[in-house]
Amino acid sequence: MPASSVPMTKYLISFPARAMQVPADEMPAVAAASRAVIIEAKAAGVYVFGGGIDETMAPVMVAGDGAVSDKLYPGSHLNGGFTILELPSRAEALAWAQKIAASCRCAQEVREFMYDPIC
């Protein structure tokens, strides 16, 4: 890495589906505000990936031998929306989470991915 480069960390900013309690008639405004934040993140060059879990598709577990099962790890449950941003600091991750929380009208959880030198 060049000496002038700032190490970047990937952050997961997410919320469970139950957290988003928005009246149906306000959803178009929430969607527009959320898209505006994502457009801003893309323009800033920090956006990696984002989306929502499709709850109409049941999750499965795939074993090392290729066996597929509908039995998941105990307590495992993932739904809602998430965004992955690559940022130079936790403070910036919290600032982006605040923007996302305001646009989605629900609090966001922030998690940091561990450093991987090959990614």
Side-chain angles (χ1 to χ4, degrees):
M1 173 171 31
S4 63
S5 294
V6 176
M8 301 289 267
T9 301
K10 290 180 180 71
Y11 293 88
L12 171 66
I13 302 172
S14 63
F15 63 93
R18 70 180 181 283
M20 190 177 236
Q21 301 294 317
V22 178
D25 64 326
E26 295 179 25
M27 280 305 290
V30 170
S34 297
R35 285 187 193 103
V37 173
I38 296 305
I39 290 167
E40 180 183 354
K42 286 180 177 182
V46 300
Y47 181 83
V48 176
F49 184 80
I53 300 297
D54 183 350
E55 294 182 50
T56 66
M57 300 299 296
V60 297
M61 174 102 64
V62 180
D65 64 2
V68 178
S69 169
D70 62 355
K71 306 246 188 236
L72 303 178
Y73 288 114
S76 176
H77 188 75
L78 179 63
N79 66 18
F82 61 92
T83 303
I84 298 172
L85 300 179
E86 192 167 35
L87 302 160
S89 71
R90 184 172 179 85
E92 288 194 39
L94 299 178
W96 279 101
Q98 181 182 14
K99 291 179 184 190
I100 294 169
S103 70
C104 290
R105 301 184 192 176
C106 64
Q108 302 291 304
E109 297 175 345
V110 177
R111 291 178 174 81
E112 186 173 320
F113 285 94
M114 295 184 333
Y115 175 72
D116 183 344
I118 63 169
C119 290

